[in-house]
Amino acid sequence: VPPYRVDVTREADVIEEILRIYGYNNIPLEENYGTDYLAAFPSPDNDKVQAKTIDFLAAQGFNEIISNSLTNPDYLEKSGMWEPSLSVEVLNKLSEELGVMRQTMIFTGLESLRYNINRKQSNLKFFEFGRTYTHKDGKYNEQERLALFLTGSQKEESWNVDKKSIDFYDISSTVHKILDKFSVAEFDSVPTDHPAFEYGLDISKDGQMLVSFGKINQKVLKVVDVSQDVFYAEFHWAGMLKLYGQKIIYKPVPKFPEVRR
């Protein structure tokens, strides 16, 4: 290979040069060619998708937390909103407060909120990638989740800005932005029936649950001793990952200039 041909670096490049000189029109063609490989897209890499989601949430003002997968079994019993018998119990416990694997991301996240609120940091936006664990009929179930927590004021306290607390529309806006990032456009949205929420929504697509979000029930907050309102979202990460990049949403450029009244 001549040294000035820096683009010829492998066997396929040499073959391409020979075919170019020999003439593509001299290559005999078969009647049928399979082109399945042209439409086969690799599965999205979980680590890369997580990294992109982390960057996006950080740009939205969220801080990442990493909490313990072990939790206090009293949380489930006192709240009465989860079935304690489904918990995966640890045989060799370090303490009774870390006796079971978590069924939900709520309580460990609320512990982080409580720790910060007790130290005068009340305006908080947290997210966490983690797993939940259940056990039933001798089978163990482990699922990956993305949890979001919002509490406090929308903006830091200032003399020239009115104080406004975070509300349902703030968590809803973040959830829908993440769905947009995953190109999830057409989905079903219904009011959630989980007692952990005072009110909220469940979003699913083709029967696959994607996310539940809303305002956490005061009874749940009282169990963890959190005194201010908290808005929470829990994504089913496996379902989200299946939809990542499957459909690109295109919106045509408007024909007419914008009119503002």
Side-chain angles (χ1 to χ4, degrees), residues 37-71:
Y37 68 94
L38 294 176
F41 296 95
S43 299
D45 184 276
N46 183 41
D47 293 334
K48 290 182 179 179
V49 176
Q50 277 198 18
K52 289 182 179 180
T53 307
I54 288 171
D55 289 342
F56 169 75
L57 289 171
Q60 300 295 314
F62 283 78
N63 289 297
E64 184 176 12
I65 60 173
I66 301 175
S67 58
N68 200 334
S69 295
L70 297 172
T71 188

Side-chain angles (χ1 to χ4, degrees), residues 93-109:
K93 303 176 184 177
L94 296 175
S95 66
E96 289 299 326
E97 288 74 23
L98 300 174
V100 297
M101 307 292 283
R102 60 187 174 192
Q103 287 190 39
T104 175
M105 305 282 287
I106 287 183
F107 294 111
T108 50

Side-chain angles (χ1 to χ4, degrees), residues 7 58 61 64 67 72 84 93 105 107 116 146 152 169 174 191 193 204 226 254 257:
D7 58 320
E64 184 176 12
S67 58
N72 194 333
K93 303 176 184 177
M105 305 282 287
F107 294 111
N116 284 271
L146 167 61
Y169 298 103
T174 304
D193 57 357
S204 60
V226 174

